[in-house]
Amino acid sequence: MTIEVRNIIKRFGGFTALDNVDLRVETGELLALLGPSGSGKTTLLRIIAGLDWPDAGSVSFDGEDALARGAGERHVGFVFQHYALFRHMSVFENVAFGLRVQPRAIRKSEAQIKARVKDLLDLVQLDWLADRYPSQLSGGQRQRIALARALAIEPRILLLDEPFGALDAKVRKELRKWLRTLHEEIHVTSIFVTHDQEEALEVANRVVVMDKGKIEQIGSPGDVYEEPATAFVHGFIGESIVLPVEIRDGRVRLGDRELNLDSRDARPGPSKLFIRRHDLAVGPSGAGALEGAVKHVRAFGPTQRADILLSAVGEGTLIEIDAPRDRDLKPGDIVSLQPRRYRIFAEGA
Amino acid sequence: MTIATTTTPLPVAAKPVPLAKRDSRTEPRLVRGLIIGFALTFLTVFVVLPLVLVFAQAFSKGVRFYLTSLADPEALAAIWLTLVTAVISVGLNLIFGVAAAWAIAKFEFRGKTFLVTLIDLPFSVSPVISGLVFVLLFGAQGFVGPWLMAHGIHILFAVPAIVLATTFVTFPFVARELIPLMQEQGSQEEEAAISLGARGWQTFVKVTLPNIKWGLLYGVLLCNARAMGEFGAVSVVSGHIRGETNTMPLLVEILYNEYQLVASFAIASLLALLALVTLIAKTILESQIEEGRPHSDD
């Protein structure tokens, strides 16, 4: 099932939640909508599900207009952020709900419903909880039951809103892996919303980065991390050092210092220099584009982390870098920093 | 505290200071006794004693007389009218209350705050005024009164006015109970039901109603208690036609004014009994509602 979203606009009062969004999701994909809160990702998911309606634009499933159908007729499985399990029903009845509300003509027999629910509970490995009530389950169990309930109607599309948002870190990691395995097993076109970049990069085949109601970049996890298309994506995914620079005559200037960096055809004017924390080579004074004094060194794991006060930027800018453990750094050292990789984005891009 | 007072003391050398005395959170025994005693005395004088007196008066001439008083045609008519009025107005307020609470809790719309305030109106207006509104509306000099009279429709000083006044006065009970409950529960479960293919009615019956049923019953219970006990508004619109437009509270007053104390208290005892039953049911319902509230980690 492919999903095609075109020119979607959605406003809530004076707030534009989605501003002309286009997106195409291929059959069998596991896609992540990634963005900060207020970026419109949940609104987009709810519009695809039919729980919200756009002010303009179109949504089609396999070329067929989805907006002509209500949420119940779209065969979309939706997993809510807080699960929204029916609190007065047992786990079994929760999962069976979608089967029981089918029109009488196509409704399965009681025995068929029982068998199907059992299969689904087996799939989420929680068959032993069938008689419990949602309030008796842990967060991770509720999440899996919510998923089983959504799968009961044999959805053509599976939508998950912050599926791991309300879980603690350990359960979250387990469920992530589990969700990916499950997706490989059932292979239904799936979209999940998250504000956690690690989650998006680790689970999804493709990541859609959103900000302020617009799509900033669509790409594989590798692409969005290695080749961020905009300043926002660079800043949002992975940890970046951002320095205010100016491009003049093809040269990169930081404060009153000209940096020994290729401007790579960046437009003249105020810009931002983005460097990943681990992409700075530390050398002796005078050997790199940037200079600074080491203020603090914290060593743990395979790297050490150092705070360096850059000279040449007004009052001085403190940046945090990752350096290999074997590199000898002491507070008070004056060092040079040479970016191995960097990107320049014009101000406001 | 309980440890020090209820278990057999262990054989210890020095006499231990009771835990209760060292616990600065509890008051000294004397203060506690005084406060509890004061509360109990107050409750006895103002609540228990009057209630006991109602029953004592009702049975002062024996059970036979009590039953005869209740079997009086006028009394039976009043009981019947009270029941009919309560059934209709509770039924109406059940529907209105659920509809209003649904609209307020699940949708955003202009004028919502105004609607919430409006629902509270019957609580803030004196029941007598509520009754007078209907007199002004349907009375001989009223808005639509002359037209109704010309068409032979009797509302004022007849059963319809009593039902209307009662419905008006008891409107807030169901809605007020449901609004916070439904707001707290949100609409995610309904959305889940709809996305699973449930139609509107199925969603209401299978998801919404079970979630609010205890709150709904609670509202209905209070609504019913007030509907049966309403005096002010009904008194204004009833016309006090004996055997026709007297509800139980009205009959109590009439009998009392005619010095038929025992008969008066016999009817009053039924209302008191209703109050007691309501109280017990309310306590049971409250514990059920507590169970139905969303859990903190939801």
Side-chain angles (χ1 to χ4, degrees), chain A residues 46 51 71-72 76 78 80-89 97-98 100-103 135 142 149-150 153, chain B residues 185-186 188-199 202-203 206-208 210-211 292-295 297-298:
Chain A
R46 288 173 59 86
L51 297 171
V76 167
F78 199 99
F80 291 82
Q81 184 178 2
H82 298 289
Y83 325 126
L85 292 176
F86 305 126
R87 73 195 86 190
H88 65 276
M89 290 183 205
F97 186 87
R100 291 206 196 283
V101 297
Q102 280 180 332
S135 61
R142 285 182 208 179
R149 181 179 69 176
I153 56 170
Chain B
Q185 291 178 342
Q188 285 225 317
E189 284 185 42
E190 279 83 6
E191 284 184 347
I194 288 165
S195 83
L196 288 167
R199 278 145 290 162
Q202 285 176 314
T203 305
K206 285 177 182 258
V207 176
T208 309
N211 278 348
R293 291 224 185 274
H295 295 263
D297 55 342
D298 265 350

Side-chain angles (χ1 to χ4, degrees), chain A residues 1-80:
Chain A
M1 174 74 47
T2 61
I3 307 169
E4 179 110 39
V5 172
R6 284 205 156 278
N7 308 321
I8 290 285
I9 295 173
K10 175 71 182 177
R11 291 188 194 89
F12 293 107
F15 174 73
T16 304
L18 292 173
D19 190 2
N20 225 350
V21 167
D22 281 301
L23 177 65
R24 190 182 158 81
V25 187
E26 302 298 336
T27 306
E29 250 192 311
L30 179 54
L31 188 91
L33 294 179
L34 172 66
S37 56
S39 58
K41 54 197 193 303
T42 295
T43 307
L44 179 58
L45 197 75
R46 288 173 59 86
I47 285 175
I48 295 172
L51 297 171
D52 265 325
W53 295 82
D55 296 324
S58 70
V59 178
S60 54
F61 296 166
D62 272 347
E64 190 184 315
D65 182 17
L67 294 181
R69 296 166 178 272
E73 299 157 346
R74 291 191 194 178
H75 295 282
V76 167
F78 199 99
V79 178
F80 291 82

Side-chain angles (χ1 to χ4, degrees), chain B residues 168-252:
Chain B
F168 179 82
V169 171
T170 57
F171 179 72
F173 285 102
V174 175
R176 281 290 298 247
E177 182 57 32
L178 289 185
I179 290 168
L181 186 66
M182 287 170 99
Q183 272 173 339
E184 197 179 0
Q185 291 178 342
S187 40
Q188 285 225 317
E189 284 185 42
E190 279 83 6
E191 284 184 347
I194 288 165
S195 83
L196 288 167
R199 278 145 290 162
W201 181 245
Q202 285 176 314
T203 305
F204 180 73
V205 172
K206 285 177 182 258
V207 176
T208 309
L209 210 52
N211 278 348
I212 61 167
K213 65 181 174 205
W214 296 116
L216 191 63
L217 263 175
Y218 186 87
V220 163
L221 183 79
L222 295 187
C223 185
N224 180 61
R226 180 69 191 269
M228 289 190 170
E230 176 55 26
F231 179 83
V234 172
S235 177
V236 175
V237 299
S238 128
H240 305 275
I241 305 166
R242 306 199 93 157
E244 277 184 44
T245 64
N246 275 334
T247 59
M248 285 160 72
L250 298 186
L251 189 63
V252 170

Side-chain angles (χ1 to χ4, degrees), chain B residues 49-132:
Chain B
L49 214 58
L51 204 62
V52 171
L53 271 179
V54 168
F55 287 98
Q57 278 287 348
F59 288 101
S60 61
K61 288 192 187 166
V63 178
R64 183 182 287 271
F65 195 88
Y66 174 81
L67 292 175
T68 323
S69 304
L70 291 183
D72 182 76
E74 244 177 69
L76 286 178
I79 294 170
W80 176 244
L81 178 59
T82 303
L83 288 176
V84 168
T85 306
V87 166
I88 300 174
S89 53
V90 169
L92 287 175
N93 280 335
L94 182 73
I95 298 165
F96 293 154
V98 171
W102 181 287
I104 286 164
K106 315 259 168 175
F107 301 110
E108 290 302 321
F109 55 90
R110 225 180 269 261
K112 191 158 137 172
T113 341
F114 180 66
L115 186 61
V116 174
T117 317
L118 212 59
I119 288 173
D120 278 345
L121 189 70
F123 275 175
S124 47
V125 172
S126 159
V128 178
I129 311 293
S130 309
L132 271 175

Side-chain angles (χ1 to χ4, degrees), chain A residues 30 174-187:
Chain A
L30 179 54
E174 281 170 20
L175 270 183
R176 257 190 233 166
K177 237 181 278 168
W178 177 80
L179 178 67
R180 222 185 25 205
T181 324
L182 183 80
H183 181 258
E184 276 157 22
E185 219 170 292
I186 58 178
H187 227 74

